[in-house]
Amino acid sequence: MIFAKLCLRPISLRVITGAIGALLLTIFSAPPAGAQSYPNQVIKIVVPFTAGGAVDVVARIVAPKLSAALGQPVIIENKGGAGGVLGATAVAQAAPDGYTLLVGTVSTQGTNSAVYTKLSYDPVRDFAPIVLLSKSPLVMEARPALPVKNVTEFIALAKREPGKITFGSYGVGSINHLVAELFNSMAGIQTRHVPYRGSAPMLSDLIGGQIDYAFDGVSTSAGYINAGTLRLLGIASAERTPVLPNAPTIAESGLPGFDNPVWFGLFAPAGTPAPIVQKLNNQMNSILVMLDVKQAFAKLGFEPGGGASDALAQRVNGEIKKWTALVKEKNIHVAP
């Protein structure tokens, strides 16, 4: 009897040790319980700008598709203000459970950290990139009476008359302000900045001849360009746009390497479980290749995005590096 007990004791220890090891392996290798059941409630996508703009429209195109794919309601919440800062901050501070997402832009995730003297979120540390939703070029356009027909002639005129030519923007530190400053830096010219409170008043003064040129979204400017109300000088991306297929890029018409599209991406709060991020990435990649989604984007002058979440992370890092260097060179700052 004593021998039997002695023999059973090491066997029992081995069994117990093995069982504990298997249990620990299961605990640490299995996805979190929340990730396994995701989603089981309403998902909210925060658009950090007012309703009706391009960011809002893109979100409303994909939201019903994502709802159908996940089997849960997907709602849009517009939380505009301070160049997207308010909405981005709200998502950065939300629970990292996949139920609050952000449509981030080149501004919220790229330029804001460079131009704002204080920012209530970190575009890298506070977010988990999910997928690139879309991208679209800006166009460089001038009042028709400006005596230039293309980028080469524009640069030559600006060099002959430094500081005399004026350009408009959506405001100090806005994406089209920074793109214009980058153009000046790469072309070696000086032009004067006139900030506005958005695209509409800027375009009104450009059409009226109060300013000489501007960079603006292709969707808001294509009609004026086609009507001859504004003169297109070039597309501010590496590739031509199907919205204006005959329009040359700035890179091919006088400024090689100029490539500054605007883009929108889907983000979650940092700490969101990787299985949830991957599930959202998989579903969105399937949605972005749907024909009706492509057609809806094309009407806005946008191209569908897609790709891995790591690719979006690399895009964010590249934007921050580029705009931080430019802002430092031009000494551009916006107080909170």
Side-chain angles (χ1 to χ4, degrees), residues 89-97 100 269-270:
T89 300
V91 176
Q93 297 173 350
D97 53 13
T100 304

Side-chain angles (χ1 to χ4, degrees), residues 66-88:
L66 186 60
S67 176
L70 296 177
Q72 292 292 338
V74 177
I75 63 172
I76 304 297
E77 179 181 304
N78 294 93
K79 197 174 184 64
V85 171
L86 295 182

Side-chain angles (χ1 to χ4, degrees), residues 129 263 308-321:
W263 54 264
S309 57
D310 287 348
L312 180 56
Q314 292 172 9
R315 180 178 289 269
V316 169
N317 288 327
E319 296 285 3
I320 292 172
K321 182 178 179 180

Side-chain angles (χ1 to χ4, degrees), residues 46 93 176 203 287 317:
V46 174
Q93 297 173 350
N176 68 333
L203 287 177
I287 290 167
N317 288 327

Side-chain angles (χ1 to χ4, degrees), residues 92-322:
Q93 297 173 350
D97 53 13
Y99 292 103
T100 304
L101 308 176
L102 171 74
V103 180
T105 69
V106 64
S107 297
T108 62
Q109 312 305 121
T111 65
N112 281 356
S113 62
V115 300
Y116 279 88
T117 54
K118 291 183 180 180
L119 195 62
S120 50
Y121 66 90
D122 185 294
V124 175
R125 184 191 63 223
D126 293 340
F127 295 95
I130 296 173
V131 70
L132 178 68
L133 292 176
S134 64
K135 60 180 181 178
S136 177
L138 293 172
V139 295
M140 183 181 182
E141 56 198 2
R143 59 182 178 88
L146 193 71
V148 297
K149 294 181 180 179
N150 52 52
V151 169
T152 302
E153 291 181 2
F154 177 88
I155 293 173
L157 176 64
K159 287 183 175 180
R160 290 196 305 270
E161 301 179 357
K164 291 185 178 181
I165 298 175
T166 57
F167 72 91
S169 80
Y170 311 146
V172 175
S174 61
I175 183 60
N176 68 333
H177 173 206
L178 298 185
V179 168
E181 294 287 7
L182 182 61
F183 179 93
N184 286 356
S185 182
M186 292 177 66
I189 61 174
Q190 294 180 356
T191 60
R192 289 191 293 114
H193 177 216
V194 181
Y196 289 84
R197 295 176 64 86
S199 176
M202 179 196 75
L203 287 177
S204 178
D205 272 9
L206 180 58
I207 293 169
Q210 280 75 38
I211 54 176
D212 294 312
Y213 76 105
F215 286 86
D216 191 40
V218 64
S219 59
T220 52
S221 291
Y224 298 116
I225 292 168
N226 289 331
T229 310
L230 292 174
R231 175 177 294 154
L232 177 69
L233 299 180
I235 304 296
S237 295
E239 301 174 352
R240 296 191 178 196
T241 173
V243 178
L244 298 165
N246 297 321
T249 67
I250 291 172
E252 68 182 285
S253 54
L255 204 61
F258 195 79
D259 180 23
N260 298 282
V262 294
W263 54 264
F264 308 148
L266 193 63
F267 296 82
T272 300
I276 291 178
V277 172
Q278 189 59 55
K279 184 171 188 176
L280 289 168
N281 176 273
N282 291 342
Q283 296 295 347
M284 288 307 309
N285 272 295
S286 297
I287 290 167
L288 291 170
V289 297
M290 294 179 177
L291 180 59
D292 58 338
V293 171
K294 289 182 176 181
Q295 291 172 339
F297 277 22
K299 291 179 181 178
L300 299 170
F302 285 92
E303 298 176 30
S309 57
D310 287 348
L312 180 56
Q314 292 172 9
R315 180 178 289 269
V316 169
N317 288 327
E319 296 285 3
I320 292 172
K321 182 178 179 180
K322 174 172 64 177

